[in-house]
Amino acid sequence: MISNVENLTIRRRKMLIGFSFGFSFSLIGVFLSRISSTSIVLSNYRPIFLLSALFGWIFWLYNLVRILNYQKKIKKDPKLSETLNDEYIQLLRLKSFNIAFWIILISQGFIYITNMFYKLSVEFVILLNILIAVLAVILSFIILDREK
Amino acid sequence: MNNVILKNTLKVQRAKKDLTQQQLADLVYVTRKTINTVEKGKYVPSTMLALKLAKTLDVTVEELFILHEI
């Protein structure tokens, strides 16, 4: 039988995966729909991109509400909160921020070099940076937190 | 003292008390994953957690965690 703590740990992991999935879909969808408005080839696919952005946004929002509710529920029980945010989880969080820092730094280098050969739009760079920063932290935590 | 590794008898002591990883985790307020990583030697716990584990298992910290010279 799975205990309450184990159950909540699995739920947290699923919510983070859902959050990342929705966030990626919404940002990529927004970006592609912007490109398709200026490109003749991609203009036919614009409704699909917009739809995927909307789907991603709804999914992201749904998971965000779930995460907020989860946090609210846990805060009511200090012992449960202590267990779910124990020292090992805090260490994994610290590690994931450390990994994300290097991923962001390396990605800036790639963006800078790419920009030397191909002019990137400011909007694209901003969206890409947001996507990389958010995903790097969450995905590295999910990878570090998996059962070994 | 440079080439030393930390070993633990957590699994043995836990078995003596007839506790599962989850039961021990519930007693010291950590997740089962934390107990599992400590048992496998992948994670060295804080002094606080080491003391809590020792107290729960009715052993000394030295009995639970042993420094091994390579």
Side-chain angles (χ1 to χ4, degrees), chain B residues 41-63:
Chain B
K42 285 179 182 170
Y43 171 63
V44 178
S46 66
T47 316
M48 184 81 102
L49 182 56
L51 287 165
K52 274 186 190 175
L53 287 167
K55 195 180 174 187
T56 309
L57 295 166
D58 288 322
V59 287
T60 60
V61 178
E62 287 83 359
E63 278 177 272

Side-chain angles (χ1 to χ4, degrees), chain B:
Chain B
M1 279 295 277
N2 279 339
N3 299 322
V4 287
I5 53 160
L6 188 70
K7 287 196 172 182
N8 69 74
T9 58
L10 194 59
K11 198 174 181 177
V12 178
Q13 302 298 345
R14 188 170 56 78
K16 277 183 189 172
K17 284 269 175 188
D18 202 21
L19 289 169
T20 63
Q21 283 188 346
Q22 186 64 62
Q23 284 167 334
L24 181 60
D26 290 342
L27 289 169
V28 292
Y29 299 110
V30 293
T31 58
R32 186 195 54 77
K33 214 173 274 177
T34 304
I35 298 294
N36 189 35
T37 48
V38 172
E39 245 182 47
K40 285 182 178 175
K42 285 179 182 170
Y43 171 63
V44 178
S46 66
T47 316
M48 184 81 102
L49 182 56
L51 287 165
K52 274 186 190 175
L53 287 167
K55 195 180 174 187
T56 309
L57 295 166
D58 288 322
V59 287
T60 60
V61 178
E62 287 83 359
E63 278 177 272
L64 209 53
F65 298 97
I66 308 139
L67 275 178
H68 267 264
E69 284 193 42
I70 307 166

Side-chain angles (χ1 to χ4, degrees), chain A residues 53-119:
Chain A
L54 186 72
F55 162 76
W57 191 78
I58 292 166
F59 198 62
W60 170 69
L61 201 69
Y62 165 71
N63 279 289
L64 188 70
V65 171
R66 277 180 74 197
I67 290 171
L68 292 173
N69 279 337
Y70 174 88
Q71 281 179 338
K72 215 169 129 184
K73 187 184 164 189
I74 286 167
K75 271 184 186 169
K76 283 179 187 168
D77 189 344
K79 287 289 174 195
L80 187 65
S81 174
E82 189 190 327
T83 307
L84 287 166
N85 297 304
D86 67 7
E87 58 183 57
Y88 182 63
I89 296 295
Q90 283 178 38
L91 178 78
L92 293 188
R93 275 196 199 125
L94 202 71
K95 274 186 181 176
S96 62
F97 274 103
N98 194 13
I99 292 167
F101 168 77
W102 288 107
I103 291 173
I104 293 164
L105 201 67
I106 292 164
S107 70
Q108 297 314 300
F110 275 112
I111 290 169
Y112 183 75
I113 292 165
T114 311
N115 196 47
M116 288 165 111
F117 303 102
Y118 181 79
K119 278 281 166 234

